[in-house]
Structure formats: structure tokens, C-alpha cells
Amino acid sequence: MDNTAVAPIPANAVNDGAFTRVAALPAGAKLKLALGLAGLAGVLFALSVWSSRGDYKVLYANLNEKDGGAIIAQLSQMNIPYRHADGGNAILVPSGQVHDARLKLASAGLPKGSVVGFELMDSAKFGQTQFQERLTFQRGLEGELTRSILALGAVQAARVHLALPQQNGFFREQQKPSASVLVTLHPGRALDRSQIAGIVHLVSSSVPEMTPKAVSVIDQTGALLSGPSENASGQGLDAQQLQYVQQVEQSFHKRVIDILEPIVGRDNLRATIAAEIDFAQTESTSEQFKPNQGSEPATVRSQQVNESGSGAQGVPSGVPGATSNQPPVPATAPINGAAAPLQANSGGTLGASSRREAVTNYEVDKTVRVTRNATGNVKRLSAAVVLNHRVVTAPNGKTTSTPLSNEEIEKLTALVQEAIGFSKDRGDSVKLINTPFKVDALPKAAADLPVWKQDWLIDLVRSGATPAALVLVALIAVFGFVKPALKAALPPAGPQRGNLDVLADEPVALSGANSAPRLEAPRAAANLNTAREVAKQNPAAVANIVRGWVKGEA
């Protein structure tokens, strides 16, 4: 028997096309499929946009409108995304492009800034007059001085005005140049005396023949920071004196805090010390003279003795003996008091006169005292101390506050007086009161908050909320719309049918036939069996019939 091969049946003849099945879906299923696909596309687009946003950082801040517009135009040309912040005063770009954008903008000369210096001289026009050239030079010098002043950390903005008179050789008395400086300080900052003096000397040294007295510096409130008033006397304390007063007050304040904190607790007292310091300097000179009295030694400064006599030589007289042969007695005149009368010389001459003068000068006891009072002495101290009530915590956790007794307040007042060196003669005063403190409701510590109120968890949820929501939308679109539509479009699951390749005379055992479910034989199987029996019994007749079919005969 010849075995005739049969061509395989194409799969498309068994299964309809997917697009055909989708087109055959009901209108509701088609709508669900379209909504699901649109939702997935939206989620993918949102995820791409959210991931491309990144973290933005400040590129430039405190820009004027001209520089801001130029920088935005340049960023648009470079295809760098940007944002506005702080009311348009700051420009933000992605954090990964900050440094690159700054370098590119710097190469383009941005930001130029509102302050121009000597670069104005580079764009000098041909044919400009001497007045225009001098005015351009003045503007450039003002801009350079402004840039130098802006280098100070406390200065936010500055303007410099120069008054440069035209020099003329025909004038005998030339006018001196002057300058005015307006500084805008950062909030909470101030310029000390040394910085103000530095600004004054910077401006005066940059302009020929300008003296520091011709420079005035004011702040944004209009207060004069330098000028004639800084050298005027009697206008109050200068910076160094104010600093010394603050140091004295802080020293006394520390003493009070150190002596009371161990007793009442760290947060249970407030103290303020006010000190009046005497910065007046006085000098006094005194001279004292003391006489040489009693047994105090005296120093002879000078001594002069004059003796004179007249007449003939006297003849010795008297009774010869021991009395007349004795030497004369020395003078016994006291230093102070009346002088004793001189005794007549027994051995004197008759009819003769003599004179003797003695002058002795002694040094006078003199004391010269020069007294200079030290500056910075404390004239008066005033101390004000407030103490909180005593807080007592019961075993059950309840807190109660009780005022301090009068005896305790007196003891604490005495401690404060001893700590500051209280002097009643100086007029010092110490006031100590006891009152309950008003405590504002403070937020609970992070450790006391539950986990769902922790800051780190809140930040994590905020950062992950967007992607989580997008993923949820994608899942709803897939399982709620796309999957039901695709399930309806797919063919129903059934037994797999293979292609018939060979027609066999005898039954052939197929692999997996035992595990495959047994199906009911179709009706065409009986006709096929009958044809097989006829072919076996009369093969020649069957061959003739097939030959006639091939030739097209009836």
C-alpha cells in the first residue's frame, strides 16, 4: 500500500488573528482596553518627568532684573532647565549642572552686575570730549571703590559718590575733593569702628589730595557712621568704652549666675547687671611744708658769720688767777625762739667796740604729691534677679510650684551682694524677686513622638509618595482594564491538535496518548472506516476511482 503525504494545516486556519479578536470585542471591553493603555502611557510619562526633575540648587541669588534676564536667556540657549525662587531673586538649576552652568555663564561674561569699574574705559568712543573722559574715569573709580567695599562681609550693597573738582592752575586755592559712601548692611550685622575707619582710609587713599575728614559714611537708616561727630567730645562713650562696660557687666552677670545656679537650677533664674563706669581722668598736685621741731634733725643749707671791731688794744684787767685765764664760752642761741643776750667779754679792751653777725639757713621739710585717678572705675552697680518658684514633683508624677520663703530670699540676696561686691556708700542696689515663670508649650522631643510622626518617616513618605502613587495607578490600569480585555480577546483554552502528516494503515500509538483525555469520535470516523474496508477488499477498484478523480473524469 502506498503511503500518501498530506500537507500540514496552517495555524492561522485554526486560530483567528489577535487584531481580529480585539476588533470583535464589545464596545465596553474596547473602552476598558483603551483606558488601561492610556493610563499606562500616562504613568510612564509621569515617571520619566519625575525622575528627570532631580534636585535643584541655587545658581545665582540677589540678581538685578537685567542680569537675571540675560542669564535666563543664556540658560535657554544652553538647554539647561531652570526655576525661580525667592520671588524671582534667585535662579535654580539641577544640582548636577550648577558648576558647569556657572563656568559657561562666566565665559559669556555673566552676570555682569550693576557695578561697573574701569572696564568703562575699554569702550571709549572716538571723539569724546575731555569732560566725558573725566566723567567716565570718575564713574570707573566709583565702581572700583564700590567693589572693594562690597568685599566686607557685613556690607550687602554700597554706593560711592565722589566730588572731584576740576583742577585749574590759575586758582590760588584749589578745592579739595570729597566723598560720600552709602552702605546697606545685612540684617543683624554692624560695622565696628575699625571697619568704618578702613572704609574712610580706603576712599581717601584712592583719590589724590583727599583727606580722611572729607569722607562721610552713612548706613541705610541715614545714621552717620563717620565724619566730624566721631571726634566730638561729650557725645557719649566710644566703641572701646562701650565694649569695656559690656565686659564689666558680663563679668558681674557670670558671678551671679555661677553663685545661684547650683541652688535654684539652671533654667530657674534670670539676672541683669547694669554698671556705671567713670571714665573721667583727674590729676592733682599738693605741696606740704613741715617745720623742724623737737629733736628732728635739720639740714644746714648755708651759714654766714661777720665780725668787726674798733679801738685800742685793751689792757687786761681783773684779778689774776684761774677765772681770768679761761676761754670764752661759745654762743648758745637756739634755732627757734628768742636769742639770749651776749655776755660781755671780761678780757675785752677798754674804750673799744666789736660786732659779730651770724646767719644760718636751714632746709625746709617739703612734700610734693601728684595724684592721678585711674579711668574705668565702677561708680555704681544695679542688679536685678528674678527667681522661679520651687517646682516639686510628687510620686504620682504631678508637679507643683511653691514660692520661696522670705528667709531664703534674704539669703540669696546676700549672696548676690557678695558676688558683685555690693557697696552701700557707692550707691549700689540689688533687687531680687520670686515669681513663677511662664513656660510656653514646646513641641515634644523626637524620641517621645510615635514612629508615624517622626520627621525622617514623613520625609521618606513625601519623597516616595509620587512613585508609589504612579505604581498604584499602573497596577489598576493593568489588572482593572488591560488584563480583562486581553483575556476576552484570547481564544478559549482547549485540546491541542497537531498536523496530520502521514496516513497509516494501522493504528499508531502517539506519545502522551494515555494522559490525553478521551473524546467522543466524530461521525466522519464511521465513513472513513467504511472506505478503509472497501479499499482493503477491492484495491483495484479504489485505484481506478482515484485515477478518474485525478484525470477529472466523472
Side-chain angles (χ1 to χ4, degrees):
M1 178 179 178
D2 297 334
N3 295 331
T4 305
V6 180
I9 302 173
N12 293 336
V14 179
N15 299 328
D16 294 334
F19 293 100
T20 305
R21 289 183 176 275
V22 171
L25 290 175
K30 291 182 180 179
L31 180 60
K32 288 183 178 181
L33 181 61
L35 291 177
L37 295 177
L40 287 177
V43 169
L44 293 176
F45 177 75
L47 285 174
S48 63
V49 171
W50 180 81
S51 61
S52 63
R53 286 179 58 188
D55 186 15
Y56 278 72
K57 291 187 178 180
V58 177
L59 178 65
Y60 291 109
N62 298 325
L63 294 173
N64 53 22
E65 296 179 355
K66 185 176 180 181
D67 284 343
I71 290 176
I72 289 176
Q74 191 69 21
L75 291 176
S76 300
Q77 294 180 1
M78 294 187 297
N79 296 325
I80 297 178
Y82 61 88
R83 290 182 183 177
H84 297 284
D86 196 12
N89 294 329
I91 299 177
L92 287 75
V93 297
S95 58
Q97 302 180 3
V98 172
H99 303 291
D100 188 19
R102 286 180 180 175
L103 293 176
K104 292 181 180 179
L105 292 174
S107 63
L110 295 174
K112 296 181 179 179
S114 59
V115 180
V116 292
F118 283 131
E119 60 268 15
L120 290 174
M121 307 295 294
D122 299 336
S123 59
K125 298 180 180 179
F126 179 76
Q128 63 180 359
T129 62
Q130 184 179 3
F131 173 77
Q132 292 176 346
E133 183 179 358
R134 185 167 58 86
L135 185 60
T136 304
F137 173 77
Q138 180 176 344
R139 289 182 57 195
L141 182 58
E142 291 176 350
E144 295 295 334
L145 290 174
T146 301
R147 289 175 177 175
S148 300
I149 296 173
L150 288 175
L152 298 177
V155 179
Q156 182 179 5
R159 294 192 65 182
V160 179
H161 303 277
L162 298 178
L164 304 178
Q166 184 177 2
Q167 301 296 332
N168 195 332
F170 294 99
F171 293 153
R172 293 183 179 180
E173 296 182 358
Q174 298 287 350
Q175 295 181 357
K176 300 297 182 181
S178 60
S180 301
V181 181
L182 172 63
V183 293
T184 302
L185 305 179
H186 288 285
R189 298 188 181 182
L191 295 174
D192 55 16
R193 286 291 177 180
S194 60
Q195 291 176 325
I196 296 173
I199 294 175
V200 171
H201 285 81
L202 172 67
V203 177
S204 62
S205 301
S206 302
V207 181
E209 298 184 2
M210 180 181 290
T211 61
K213 295 182 180 180
V215 180
S216 300
V217 181
I218 62 175
D219 60 2
Q220 68 271 21
T221 62
L224 183 62
L225 304 179
S226 67
S229 61
E230 66 177 357
N231 297 325
S233 60
Q235 299 296 330
L237 304 179
D238 57 12
Q240 294 182 352
Q241 293 175 347
L242 289 175
Q243 185 178 4
Y244 177 76
V245 173
Q246 293 177 358
Q247 291 178 354
V248 172
E249 293 177 349
Q250 290 176 1
S251 175
F252 286 115
H253 180 269
K254 187 176 183 301
R255 294 182 185 179
V256 174
I257 297 299
D258 292 343
I259 198 66
L260 293 182
E261 268 192 356
I263 301 175
V264 299
R266 182 174 182 179
D267 297 331
N268 292 326
L269 79 155
R270 299 292 185 271
T272 301
I273 308 295
E276 295 182 11
I277 308 298
D278 184 12
F279 292 100
Q281 185 175 5
T282 59
E283 181 179 347
S284 60
T285 305
S286 62
E287 295 184 2
Q288 295 181 356
F289 297 91
K290 294 182 179 181
N292 297 320
Q293 297 178 358
S295 60
E296 295 181 359
T299 303
V300 178
R301 181 171 58 181
S302 62
Q303 186 176 9
Q304 182 180 3
V305 179
N306 294 326
E307 292 184 357
S308 62
S310 62
Q313 182 68 28
V315 180
S317 61
V319 179
T323 304
S324 60
N325 292 333
Q326 292 180 355
V329 179
T332 58
I335 297 176
N336 297 313
L342 297 176
Q343 298 180 358
N345 188 5
S346 58
T349 58
L350 296 176
S353 63
S354 64
R355 184 178 179 184
R356 185 177 183 274
E357 293 181 0
V359 178
T360 303
N361 295 324
Y362 297 92
E363 289 288 351
V364 180
D365 189 2
K366 177 182 178 182
T367 302
V368 179
R369 182 178 291 105
V370 179
T371 304
R372 293 182 181 178
N373 294 333
T375 59
N377 295 327
V378 179
K379 293 175 60 177
R380 185 173 181 271
L381 289 177
S382 299
V385 182
V386 181
L387 301 178
N388 190 16
H389 282 183
R390 181 185 291 108
V391 179
V392 179
T393 303
N396 56 0
K398 184 178 180 181
T399 59
T400 57
S401 60
T402 57
L404 301 178
S405 62
N406 295 332
E407 184 180 358
E408 292 176 338
I409 294 178
E410 292 179 358
K411 291 181 179 180
L412 295 176
T413 303
L415 285 177
V416 174
Q417 292 178 353
E418 293 296 330
I420 66 173
F422 179 82
S423 176
K424 187 176 182 180
D425 298 335
R426 196 169 53 189
D428 297 347
S429 64
V430 175
K431 186 65 175 179
L432 189 146
I433 64 174
N434 179 228
T435 184
F437 286 2
K438 182 180 179 181
V439 181
D440 297 333
L442 299 177
K444 294 183 179 180
D448 299 336
L449 294 176
V451 178
W452 59 87
K453 292 184 179 180
Q454 297 287 342
D455 294 337
W456 62 270
L457 183 60
I458 295 176
D459 296 338
L460 181 62
V461 170
R462 288 178 179 176
S463 60
T466 301
L470 295 177
V471 171
L472 180 61
V473 172
L475 293 176
I476 294 175
V478 170
F479 293 99
F481 297 96
V482 177
K483 186 177 180 180
L486 294 177
K487 187 175 181 181
L490 293 176
Q496 298 294 333
R497 298 189 299 175
N499 297 332
L500 183 61
D501 294 336
V502 179
L503 181 61
D505 296 337
E506 301 293 336
V508 179
L510 300 178
S511 61
N514 297 328
S515 60
R518 297 184 178 273
L519 302 178
E520 182 181 358
R523 296 179 180 178
N527 298 332
L528 181 60
N529 293 331
T530 304
R532 288 177 180 177
E533 294 294 336
V534 172
K536 288 180 180 181
Q537 294 175 3
N538 193 357
V542 173
N544 292 331
I545 293 172
V546 172
R547 188 181 296 111
W549 288 350
V550 173
K551 292 180 178 181
E553 295 178 355

PDB file of all heavy atoms in Angstrom, residues 32-52:
ATOM      1  N   LYS A  32     -12.410  49.764  27.981  1.00  0.00           N
ATOM      2  CA  LYS A  32     -11.529  49.427  29.100  1.00  0.00           C
ATOM      3  C   LYS A  32     -10.091  49.261  28.642  1.00  0.00           C
ATOM      4  O   LYS A  32      -9.142  49.703  29.289  1.00  0.00           O
ATOM      5  CB  LYS A  32     -12.018  48.147  29.771  1.00  0.00           C
ATOM      6  CG  LYS A  32     -13.293  48.316  30.583  1.00  0.00           C
ATOM      7  CD  LYS A  32     -13.652  47.012  31.279  1.00  0.00           C
ATOM      8  CE  LYS A  32     -14.908  47.179  32.131  1.00  0.00           C
ATOM      9  NZ  LYS A  32     -15.251  45.915  32.844  1.00  0.00           N
ATOM     10  N   LEU A  33      -9.902  48.583  27.490  1.00  0.00           N
ATOM     11  CA  LEU A  33      -8.551  48.384  26.975  1.00  0.00           C
ATOM     12  C   LEU A  33      -7.894  49.722  26.624  1.00  0.00           C
ATOM     13  O   LEU A  33      -6.710  49.951  26.938  1.00  0.00           O
ATOM     14  CB  LEU A  33      -8.593  47.470  25.751  1.00  0.00           C
ATOM     15  CG  LEU A  33      -7.241  47.145  25.097  1.00  0.00           C
ATOM     16  CD1 LEU A  33      -6.341  46.440  26.088  1.00  0.00           C
ATOM     17  CD2 LEU A  33      -7.446  46.298  23.839  1.00  0.00           C
ATOM     18  N   ALA A  34      -8.660  50.625  26.037  1.00  0.00           N
ATOM     19  CA  ALA A  34      -8.103  51.936  25.676  1.00  0.00           C
ATOM     20  C   ALA A  34      -7.743  52.738  26.926  1.00  0.00           C
ATOM     21  O   ALA A  34      -6.681  53.377  26.997  1.00  0.00           O
ATOM     22  CB  ALA A  34      -9.103  52.707  24.817  1.00  0.00           C
ATOM     23  N   LEU A  35      -8.619  52.698  27.936  1.00  0.00           N
ATOM     24  CA  LEU A  35      -8.326  53.421  29.170  1.00  0.00           C
ATOM     25  C   LEU A  35      -7.097  52.852  29.872  1.00  0.00           C
ATOM     26  O   LEU A  35      -6.271  53.580  30.421  1.00  0.00           O
ATOM     27  CB  LEU A  35      -9.543  53.374  30.092  1.00  0.00           C
ATOM     28  CG  LEU A  35     -10.771  54.177  29.639  1.00  0.00           C
ATOM     29  CD1 LEU A  35     -11.931  53.983  30.620  1.00  0.00           C
ATOM     30  CD2 LEU A  35     -10.427  55.660  29.535  1.00  0.00           C
ATOM     31  N   GLY A  36      -6.975  51.526  29.890  1.00  0.00           N
ATOM     32  CA  GLY A  36      -5.812  50.914  30.526  1.00  0.00           C
ATOM     33  C   GLY A  36      -4.515  51.287  29.841  1.00  0.00           C
ATOM     34  O   GLY A  36      -3.507  51.625  30.490  1.00  0.00           O
ATOM     35  N   LEU A  37      -4.522  51.230  28.504  1.00  0.00           N
ATOM     36  CA  LEU A  37      -3.303  51.614  27.778  1.00  0.00           C
ATOM     37  C   LEU A  37      -2.976  53.090  27.963  1.00  0.00           C
ATOM     38  O   LEU A  37      -1.799  53.467  28.105  1.00  0.00           O
ATOM     39  CB  LEU A  37      -3.473  51.282  26.292  1.00  0.00           C
ATOM     40  CG  LEU A  37      -3.605  49.791  25.954  1.00  0.00           C
ATOM     41  CD1 LEU A  37      -3.846  49.601  24.456  1.00  0.00           C
ATOM     42  CD2 LEU A  37      -2.362  49.023  26.393  1.00  0.00           C
ATOM     43  N   ALA A  38      -3.987  53.938  27.974  1.00  0.00           N
ATOM     44  CA  ALA A  38      -3.734  55.376  28.205  1.00  0.00           C
ATOM     45  C   ALA A  38      -3.197  55.628  29.605  1.00  0.00           C
ATOM     46  O   ALA A  38      -2.298  56.467  29.814  1.00  0.00           O
ATOM     47  CB  ALA A  38      -5.030  56.159  27.975  1.00  0.00           C
ATOM     48  N   GLY A  39      -3.736  54.889  30.601  1.00  0.00           N
ATOM     49  CA  GLY A  39      -3.222  55.046  31.964  1.00  0.00           C
ATOM     50  C   GLY A  39      -1.767  54.623  32.078  1.00  0.00           C
ATOM     51  O   GLY A  39      -0.955  55.276  32.741  1.00  0.00           O
ATOM     52  N   LEU A  40      -1.413  53.509  31.438  1.00  0.00           N
ATOM     53  CA  LEU A  40      -0.018  53.064  31.463  1.00  0.00           C
ATOM     54  C   LEU A  40       0.903  54.081  30.798  1.00  0.00           C
ATOM     55  O   LEU A  40       2.002  54.364  31.281  1.00  0.00           O
ATOM     56  CB  LEU A  40       0.101  51.707  30.767  1.00  0.00           C
ATOM     57  CG  LEU A  40      -0.450  50.503  31.532  1.00  0.00           C
ATOM     58  CD1 LEU A  40      -0.333  49.245  30.676  1.00  0.00           C
ATOM     59  CD2 LEU A  40       0.300  50.312  32.840  1.00  0.00           C
ATOM     60  N   ALA A  41       0.464  54.633  29.670  1.00  0.00           N
ATOM     61  CA  ALA A  41       1.285  55.646  28.995  1.00  0.00           C
ATOM     62  C   ALA A  41       1.463  56.883  29.875  1.00  0.00           C
ATOM     63  O   ALA A  41       2.567  57.448  29.969  1.00  0.00           O
ATOM     64  CB  ALA A  41       0.643  56.019  27.656  1.00  0.00           C
ATOM     65  N   GLY A  42       0.380  57.295  30.566  1.00  0.00           N
ATOM     66  CA  GLY A  42       0.496  58.447  31.459  1.00  0.00           C
ATOM     67  C   GLY A  42       1.439  58.191  32.632  1.00  0.00           C
ATOM     68  O   GLY A  42       2.209  59.060  33.046  1.00  0.00           O
ATOM     69  N   VAL A  43       1.363  56.976  33.178  1.00  0.00           N
ATOM     70  CA  VAL A  43       2.256  56.641  34.296  1.00  0.00           C
ATOM     71  C   VAL A  43       3.709  56.649  33.847  1.00  0.00           C
ATOM     72  O   VAL A  43       4.596  57.169  34.547  1.00  0.00           O
ATOM     73  CB  VAL A  43       1.848  55.274  34.884  1.00  0.00           C
ATOM     74  CG1 VAL A  43       2.923  54.776  35.848  1.00  0.00           C
ATOM     75  CG2 VAL A  43       0.523  55.383  35.600  1.00  0.00           C
ATOM     76  N   LEU A  44       3.982  56.082  32.694  1.00  0.00           N
ATOM     77  CA  LEU A  44       5.363  56.083  32.190  1.00  0.00           C
ATOM     78  C   LEU A  44       5.864  57.498  31.948  1.00  0.00           C
ATOM     79  O   LEU A  44       7.018  57.836  32.271  1.00  0.00           O
ATOM     80  CB  LEU A  44       5.441  55.254  30.902  1.00  0.00           C
ATOM     81  CG  LEU A  44       5.198  53.744  31.049  1.00  0.00           C
ATOM     82  CD1 LEU A  44       5.217  53.065  29.685  1.00  0.00           C
ATOM     83  CD2 LEU A  44       6.232  53.124  31.977  1.00  0.00           C
ATOM     84  N   PHE A  45       5.007  58.363  31.403  1.00  0.00           N
ATOM     85  CA  PHE A  45       5.416  59.749  31.163  1.00  0.00           C
ATOM     86  C   PHE A  45       5.657  60.485  32.481  1.00  0.00           C
ATOM     87  O   PHE A  45       6.641  61.238  32.622  1.00  0.00           O
ATOM     88  CB  PHE A  45       4.327  60.464  30.351  1.00  0.00           C
ATOM     89  CG  PHE A  45       4.627  61.910  30.107  1.00  0.00           C
ATOM     90  CD1 PHE A  45       5.578  62.298  29.178  1.00  0.00           C
ATOM     91  CD2 PHE A  45       3.964  62.905  30.837  1.00  0.00           C
ATOM     92  CE1 PHE A  45       5.847  63.641  28.964  1.00  0.00           C
ATOM     93  CE2 PHE A  45       4.235  64.241  30.625  1.00  0.00           C
ATOM     94  CZ  PHE A  45       5.182  64.608  29.675  1.00  0.00           C
ATOM     95  N   ALA A  46       4.787  60.285  33.478  1.00  0.00           N
ATOM     96  CA  ALA A  46       4.968  60.941  34.772  1.00  0.00           C
ATOM     97  C   ALA A  46       6.247  60.474  35.468  1.00  0.00           C
ATOM     98  O   ALA A  46       6.972  61.262  36.083  1.00  0.00           O
ATOM     99  CB  ALA A  46       3.751  60.686  35.667  1.00  0.00           C
ATOM    100  N   LEU A  47       6.519  59.152  35.367  1.00  0.00           N
ATOM    101  CA  LEU A  47       7.753  58.649  35.957  1.00  0.00           C
ATOM    102  C   LEU A  47       8.992  59.233  35.294  1.00  0.00           C
ATOM    103  O   LEU A  47       9.982  59.569  35.962  1.00  0.00           O
ATOM    104  CB  LEU A  47       7.793  57.117  35.865  1.00  0.00           C
ATOM    105  CG  LEU A  47       6.900  56.360  36.850  1.00  0.00           C
ATOM    106  CD1 LEU A  47       6.938  54.863  36.554  1.00  0.00           C
ATOM    107  CD2 LEU A  47       7.349  56.622  38.292  1.00  0.00           C
ATOM    108  N   SER A  48       8.962  59.380  33.989  1.00  0.00           N
ATOM    109  CA  SER A  48      10.114  59.967  33.296  1.00  0.00           C
ATOM    110  C   SER A  48      10.307  61.426  33.675  1.00  0.00           C
ATOM    111  O   SER A  48      11.433  61.883  33.895  1.00  0.00           O
ATOM    112  CB  SER A  48       9.937  59.827  31.782  1.00  0.00           C
ATOM    113  OG  SER A  48       8.781  60.553  31.352  1.00  0.00           O
ATOM    114  N   VAL A  49       9.202  62.166  33.776  1.00  0.00           N
ATOM    115  CA  VAL A  49       9.309  63.580  34.167  1.00  0.00           C
ATOM    116  C   VAL A  49       9.793  63.705  35.606  1.00  0.00           C
ATOM    117  O   VAL A  49      10.652  64.536  35.930  1.00  0.00           O
ATOM    118  CB  VAL A  49       7.947  64.285  33.984  1.00  0.00           C
ATOM    119  CG1 VAL A  49       7.986  65.690  34.580  1.00  0.00           C
ATOM    120  CG2 VAL A  49       7.595  64.350  32.507  1.00  0.00           C
ATOM    121  N   TRP A  50       9.248  62.875  36.502  1.00  0.00           N
ATOM    122  CA  TRP A  50       9.651  62.960  37.910  1.00  0.00           C
ATOM    123  C   TRP A  50      11.116  62.587  38.105  1.00  0.00           C
ATOM    124  O   TRP A  50      11.827  63.184  38.903  1.00  0.00           O
ATOM    125  CB  TRP A  50       8.757  62.040  38.730  1.00  0.00           C
ATOM    126  CG  TRP A  50       9.081  62.033  40.190  1.00  0.00           C
ATOM    127  CD1 TRP A  50       8.701  62.942  41.125  1.00  0.00           C
ATOM    128  CD2 TRP A  50       9.866  61.048  40.887  1.00  0.00           C
ATOM    129  NE1 TRP A  50       9.194  62.605  42.361  1.00  0.00           N
ATOM    130  CE2 TRP A  50       9.917  61.442  42.246  1.00  0.00           C
ATOM    131  CE3 TRP A  50      10.514  59.896  40.499  1.00  0.00           C
ATOM    132  CZ2 TRP A  50      10.604  60.707  43.199  1.00  0.00           C
ATOM    133  CZ3 TRP A  50      11.200  59.165  41.442  1.00  0.00           C
ATOM    134  CH2 TRP A  50      11.239  59.577  42.789  1.00  0.00           C
ATOM    135  N   SER A  51      11.582  61.583  37.372  1.00  0.00           N
ATOM    136  CA  SER A  51      12.989  61.191  37.508  1.00  0.00           C
ATOM    137  C   SER A  51      13.928  62.203  36.897  1.00  0.00           C
ATOM    138  O   SER A  51      15.076  62.333  37.320  1.00  0.00           O
ATOM    139  CB  SER A  51      13.201  59.820  36.861  1.00  0.00           C
ATOM    140  OG  SER A  51      12.881  59.880  35.473  1.00  0.00           O
ATOM    141  N   SER A  52      13.470  62.946  35.883  1.00  0.00           N
ATOM    142  CA  SER A  52      14.344  63.948  35.250  1.00  0.00           C
ATOM    143  C   SER A  52      14.387  65.254  36.013  1.00  0.00           C
ATOM    144  O   SER A  52      15.233  66.107  35.732  1.00  0.00           O
ATOM    145  CB  SER A  52      13.871  64.212  33.818  1.00  0.00           C
ATOM    146  OG  SER A  52      12.554  64.769  33.823  1.00  0.00           O
TER     147      SER A  52
END
